[in-house]
Amino acid sequence: MERQPEGVVRSPAETVREAQRLLDAGMPFHAHEVFEDAWKSGPAASAPLWRGLAQLAVGLTHAARGNAVGGARLLRRGAEGIEGLDGAPYGIDVPGLVRWAGELAGRVERAGPAVDAAREAPRLVL
């Protein structure tokens, strides 16, 4: 599957909308690229949010490909990266994503086989 174009500058709302569309379509790696664009092109103050979300998306990618160890590790790393953020930046449900990542990481470690990326896609906004 073709990669997302790199270096696209989007508003935070456009970033969230596009990433959610890709996650819902079972394309978490592509969502990762959208978050990475926001991380690299946006203000430094928002970088931890976008970096953490990119790590969550890559964790889901690894879990969907059957890499339980890498998937769980990246899901937890992404959750740790966003866990302390104040409020709901850009409407993003940070506490819900932290819970989702922890639960999925645990299931991936216990069950081992690949997960369905579209079925496991998180809801980004409250």
Side-chain angles (χ1 to χ4, degrees):
M1 189 174 296
E2 196 169 316
R3 293 178 61 143
Q4 287 288 104
E6 291 185 34
V8 177
V9 177
R10 299 174 183 85
S11 71
E14 291 169 329
T15 295
V16 171
R17 224 178 1 261
E18 179 64 3
Q20 188 68 68
R21 182 186 73 76
L22 292 164
L23 289 166
D24 292 344
M27 301 168 65
F29 187 78
H30 293 76
H32 150 268
E33 291 175 323
V34 169
F35 290 134
E36 193 171 72
D37 284 341
W39 163 18
K40 293 180 178 179
S41 69
S46 297
L49 170 69
W50 302 124
R51 182 177 49 245
L53 293 173
Q55 290 170 328
L56 292 178
V58 171
L60 179 55
T61 299
H62 281 284
R65 293 178 179 169
N67 178 357
V69 173
R73 183 177 298 134
L74 281 162
L75 286 164
R76 288 195 173 100
R77 185 179 304 154
E80 288 169 7
I82 65 172
E83 190 168 25
L85 300 178
D86 292 333
Y90 311 114
I92 295 171
D93 181 11
V94 171
L97 289 170
V98 169
R99 276 191 307 278
W100 166 83
E103 290 168 6
L104 182 57
R107 278 192 289 120
V108 165
E109 286 175 327
R110 285 188 303 277
V115 300
D116 182 306
R119 190 178 349 231
E120 297 293 345
R123 301 306 314 153
L124 298 174
V125 296
L126 298 168

